[in-house]
Amino acid sequence: MREKIKNYVTGVWGIEILTLFILLVTLIIGYYQAFNAGSEEQVAATFDALFNKEKYIQSMIYYESKDISQYIYSNSNDLEDISAIKYENEYLSDNLHYYDEIFYVLINKETGDFTTNDVNLYRSVETYSDNVALLEDNINSYLKESGFYSIRLDNKEKYNYYVMSLSDKINMKNIDKYIEIYYKNPIAYSYLIKTESLSAKTMIVTTVIAAILFIKIIFNSIFNRNNIHLEIKVLKRLIFVLRYGYKYRNTRNKIIFSVGGAIGVILIYLYLVAGIRNQNLLVTFLTRYPFKGTLILVLIPLVCVLYSLKKSLDISIINDGLRKINSGDLEYTLNNTGEREVKELVENINQIKEGYKIALNEQVRNEKLKTELISNVSHDLKTPLTSIINYVNILNEPSITEEERKDYLMILDKNSKRLKTLIEDLFEASKLNSGKMKIEKQKLDIVSLVYQGVGEYSNLYEEKNIEFKVSSNEDEIILDLDGKLMSRVFENLIVNSLKYSLENTRVYIDIQSKENNVEISFKNISNYEMDFNTEDIFERFTRADKSRNSSVEGSGMGLAITKSIIELHNGKIKIEVEGDMFKIYLVIPKK
């Protein structure tokens, strides 16, 4: 999970870019409507509902006063005769809902007279013909005590919404004489304020998300260019289904069924549902926008069904791939493009195929090694055996001298011992590989074992003048080892170094004690061209010198035996070749 999160955070994804584009378009439209439209029409802005409720309510009162302003101006001939609306307004006030309707006050700046559609205001405020300011103060006190929100229009610098919205010029002769006050109970806007506040909060959260996405995309585009994935999986999968869905019977039937069902939904909706008229928001939307509603009702289930076909289509494609693999095309690899379960299935099939390829290649390799083994065993056993037979025949000749007889007996002794060594090595290697070998571990100093082996065998091949350099990061390294078997390991490696090293060179043996294991390396310069496979060299009767030159004695099983002994101690062995430098590493665990 952490890797998935890290991979997402440090990458750029196509769905993010699409999401950011949609968010930006939505935000631009939303902010334009929230600010630009509000400033042009001088109506309430969305963010005022969240940050300045009083301003929002006043803006709404200003906007909603248009109808009553139109009524007043029409009936009073643009405020020329306000008495024509006075009694009518008093009649209206008795029928108005206290919380839902807008009230007004018209104050004559010259006479101090006022008219209103609020009966309570008439009863509470007296007319002050000589002091308009005092009259306004009393009206404001009444509005404040009653909890009303109001707007004041002096008809000099600010006019009502009805006047401002008219395209034709209005007679301003009488309008300038009056002050207009419109007011309403703020409770009427509670639900609207909640809705607009939620819209404002949503826009803020959306802005933050868009900003984070934008920063993430820009940052990763600069610093993580290797982890950019512009494909959009949802769209890709839908296109995938539409492109290949008709190719397979299973998915083709579902597509036909889905399209038929979608057409049926359209017909049912157009002939039945479109006639329903309720106040339900969804039904209202569908009846007001029948084409858009139909499109939504059809597309949602259609997209869902097409998307659900992805797995069926994946299985059909997997079956096609399996047929190719079964026909013998082991190079064909199934594409891992499905859902999580399908991906696991594809991965497992590909792993099985790779395992089968490895097993097949291993079988071919084993057959080749068996052939080479028989050839090598025949060669290595036949050489001393033929020599023994030939010299036995010579010894039977009565004409040979006593000196010749002694020389031939020495050769026979040498070849018979060589034949014995080959047979013993073969049996030992077979015993080690059979798993029947029991090791007897004891506490031993591996550094001493190495020095002991060098001391015993370094004098062989004196004519080659090979020098051993042993180094260790600790003077003593105690491990649980089978001393006899490990001595055989170092004997094989030291003797091999002597056999195959270039004359007048050094063999470097490095012993490193680490936290959990001990690593021992042997490095020497080879006296022949090394063109062998480092894995095959561990096989029985395989020698680095492919010519199997008889001047270099060896059974070809030394490294095979060494590898088996190291593995019995739960260790590992590996060979590296660098030019003429031959390196072999032993890794032995401490526990």
Side-chain angles (χ1 to χ4, degrees):
M1 180 60 71
R2 289 182 180 178
E3 284 299 318
K4 288 183 179 179
I5 294 173
K6 182 180 178 182
N7 189 43
Y8 167 75
V9 172
T10 58
V12 177
W13 308 88
I15 191 66
E16 283 182 327
I17 297 174
L18 179 61
T19 302
L20 180 61
F21 175 78
I22 294 172
L23 290 179
L24 289 176
V25 171
T26 304
L27 287 172
I28 290 171
I29 295 173
Y31 280 116
Y32 178 85
Q33 293 176 343
F35 292 109
N36 190 57
S39 62
E40 287 181 355
E41 298 179 2
Q42 300 181 18
V43 296
T46 301
F47 285 92
D48 289 335
L50 181 62
F51 299 109
N52 192 340
K53 294 181 181 179
E54 182 176 356
K55 180 181 177 182
Y56 180 85
I57 294 174
Q58 288 175 339
S59 298
M60 289 302 299
I61 292 172
Y62 180 78
Y63 175 76
E64 292 179 357
S65 65
K66 178 181 179 181
D67 291 338
I68 197 167
S69 298
Q70 182 179 5
Y71 172 82
I72 293 170
Y73 278 56
S74 298
N75 284 274
S76 63
N77 193 19
D78 295 336
L79 303 185
E80 182 178 353
D81 181 15
I82 63 172
S83 61
I85 60 169
K86 181 176 180 180
Y87 296 103
E88 181 67 21
N89 288 334
E90 289 178 355
Y91 168 76
L92 287 173
S93 65
D94 292 331
N95 296 280
L96 292 176
H97 193 288
Y98 192 67
Y99 295 106
D100 292 339
E101 298 297 334
I102 293 180
F103 297 99
Y104 70 88
V105 179
L106 299 178
I107 303 173
N108 192 313
K109 301 175 185 178
E110 298 174 354
T111 64
D113 294 331
F114 73 93
T115 184
T116 179
N117 64 339
D118 185 359
V119 175
N120 292 327
L121 180 62
Y122 261 126
R123 295 170 182 171
S124 303
V125 179
E126 298 179 358
T127 301
Y128 294 87
S129 59
D130 57 340
N131 195 333
V132 176
L134 183 60
L135 174 62
E136 278 199 72
D137 287 341
N138 287 334
I139 292 174
N140 291 333
S141 297
Y142 164 78
L143 296 176
K144 186 175 181 181
E145 291 173 0
S146 301
F148 290 109
Y149 276 46
S150 63
I151 56 167
R152 179 183 182 277
L153 309 173
D154 60 6
N155 287 327
K156 286 186 177 180
E157 297 178 356
K158 188 173 183 179
Y159 298 89
N160 64 50
Y161 189 79
Y162 168 68
V163 173
M164 296 297 296
S165 64
L166 289 176
S167 57
D168 297 329
K169 291 184 178 180
I170 195 170
N171 184 6
M172 308 297 290
K173 177 181 177 182
N174 297 304
I175 294 176
D176 293 342
K177 298 178 182 179
Y178 289 90
I179 296 172
E180 300 177 31
I181 299 176
Y182 297 92
Y183 55 96
K184 189 175 181 179
N185 196 311
I187 296 175
Y189 299 105
S190 297
Y191 178 78
L192 189 59
I193 288 174
K194 288 180 181 179
T195 304
E196 290 293 312
S197 296
L198 181 61
S199 299
K201 292 176 182 177
T202 303
M203 289 180 67
I204 293 172
V205 172
T206 305
T207 303
V208 172
I209 294 173
I212 293 172
L213 277 177
F214 179 79
I215 294 170
K216 177 181 178 292
I217 291 170
I218 296 299
F219 181 86
N220 289 329
S221 297
I222 297 173
F223 298 101
N224 296 307
R225 294 182 179 179
N226 293 331
N227 196 16
I228 296 177
H229 311 275
L230 298 181
E231 72 277 5
I232 301 174
K233 290 185 178 179
V234 174
L235 296 178
K236 188 177 180 181
R237 288 172 180 173
L238 289 175
I239 294 171
F240 182 84
V241 171
L242 293 173
R243 183 177 179 182
Y244 298 102
Y246 281 92
K247 187 177 179 181
Y248 301 94
R249 185 180 63 182
N250 220 1
T251 51
R252 181 169 59 246
N253 292 339
K254 290 184 179 180
I255 290 175
I256 294 172
F257 176 81
S258 301
V259 173
I263 294 173
V265 170
I266 292 174
L267 295 176
I268 293 172
Y269 172 76
L270 291 178
Y271 286 95
L272 298 177
V273 181
I276 298 175
R277 296 292 187 271
N278 289 322
Q279 295 303 314
N280 181 277
L281 182 63
L282 179 61
V283 174
T284 302
F285 172 80
L286 294 176
T287 53
R288 184 174 296 178
Y289 306 102
F291 178 77
K292 293 180 181 178
T294 304
L295 199 59
I296 291 172
L297 287 176
V298 171
L299 286 180
I300 290 176
L302 183 60
V303 169
C304 291
V305 172
L306 290 176
Y307 186 80
S308 67
L309 293 177
K310 183 65 169 56
K311 286 186 180 179
S312 299
L313 187 54
D314 286 334
I315 297 299
S316 299
I317 293 174
I318 289 172
N319 285 333
D320 276 354
L322 286 174
R323 291 190 191 99
K324 292 181 181 180
I325 294 173
N326 290 335
S327 65
D329 185 5
L330 296 180
E331 298 302 321
Y332 181 82
T333 300
L334 295 174
N335 292 325
N336 200 347
T337 57
E339 300 292 335
R340 182 174 61 84
E341 297 84 0
V342 178
K343 281 185 177 180
E344 290 178 357
L345 176 61
V346 171
E347 287 174 359
N348 290 333
I349 292 172
N350 285 333
Q351 287 176 6
I352 291 171
K353 185 204 71 173
E354 291 299 322
Y356 180 74
K357 279 180 62 179
I358 293 171
L360 186 60
N361 292 334
E362 189 67 22
Q363 184 179 359
V364 173
R365 179 174 173 270
N366 288 338
E367 290 297 327
K368 181 181 177 182
L369 288 173
K370 284 179 183 179
T371 304
E372 291 179 356
L373 175 62
I374 294 170
S375 176
N376 292 338
V377 169
S378 300
H379 178 275
D380 287 342
L381 293 178
K382 184 179 179 181
T383 300
L385 184 59
T386 302
S387 178
I388 291 171
I389 293 171
N390 289 335
Y391 281 106
V392 167
N393 291 332
I394 293 173
L395 286 171
N396 289 327
E397 293 290 334
S399 60
I400 63 173
T401 65
E402 190 63 29
E403 287 295 324
E404 289 175 333
R405 188 183 302 277
K406 289 180 180 180
D407 290 338
Y408 295 154
L409 285 173
M410 288 178 63
I411 295 172
L412 281 172
D413 181 64
K414 180 181 178 182
N415 284 328
S416 62
K417 288 179 179 178
R418 183 182 177 190
L419 184 60
K420 179 184 176 184
T421 300
L422 285 170
I423 294 172
E424 287 177 348
D425 285 349
L426 179 59
F427 279 117
E428 185 174 2
S430 299
K431 189 175 180 182
L432 286 168
N433 286 335
S434 68
K436 296 179 180 180
M437 173 70 75
K438 293 184 180 180
I439 60 175
E440 298 177 359
K441 291 185 178 181
Q442 55 183 320
K443 298 289 184 181
L444 294 174
D445 179 14
I446 199 167
V447 178
S448 298
L449 281 178
V450 173
Y451 275 105
Q452 181 181 337
V454 171
E456 289 181 7
Y457 300 100
S458 60
N459 292 328
L460 296 175
Y461 302 95
E462 289 184 356
E463 70 279 2
K464 297 183 71 172
N465 192 27
I466 305 296
E467 183 181 359
F468 283 84
K469 293 288 186 179
V470 182
S471 62
S472 176
N473 65 342
E474 293 186 13
D475 295 334
E476 186 180 69
I477 303 173
I478 304 299
L479 297 176
D480 285 328
L481 303 171
D482 186 310
K484 183 179 177 181
L485 292 178
M486 289 304 298
S487 295
R488 178 66 188 276
V489 167
F490 297 130
E491 174 191 337
N492 289 343
L493 296 179
I494 291 168
V495 172
N496 273 358
S497 299
L498 289 167
K499 287 180 184 178
Y500 299 109
S501 290
L502 190 66
E503 294 180 0
N504 302 312
T505 58
R506 297 182 180 89
V507 177
Y508 293 92
I509 305 174
D510 184 38
I511 308 169
Q512 292 291 322
S513 177
K514 299 183 178 179
E515 183 178 354
N516 298 317
N517 54 57
V518 176
E519 185 177 290
I520 306 169
S521 63
F522 286 73
K523 301 176 184 177
N524 65 282
I525 298 176
S526 176
N527 60 1
Y528 64 93
E529 183 179 354
M530 294 180 289
D531 59 349
F532 54 82
N533 187 311
T534 57
E535 293 297 325
D536 292 345
I537 198 67
F538 288 112
E539 297 298 329
R540 301 177 198 174
F541 289 95
T542 302
R543 286 166 57 177
D545 181 12
K546 290 186 177 180
S547 65
R548 307 188 74 81
N549 188 349
S550 59
S551 64
V552 180
E553 295 182 0
S555 65
M557 290 191 295
L559 288 178
I561 292 172
T562 298
K563 182 174 184 287
S564 298
I565 293 173
I566 293 299
E567 288 177 348
L568 280 174
H569 286 82
N570 298 318
K572 295 180 180 179
I573 183 170
K574 67 175 181 178
I575 290 174
E576 290 182 1
V577 174
E578 186 178 339
D580 290 333
M581 179 68 74
F582 180 85
K583 305 174 186 178
I584 186 165
Y585 297 91
L586 309 179
V587 180
I588 305 171
K590 289 185 174 181
K591 294 182 181 180

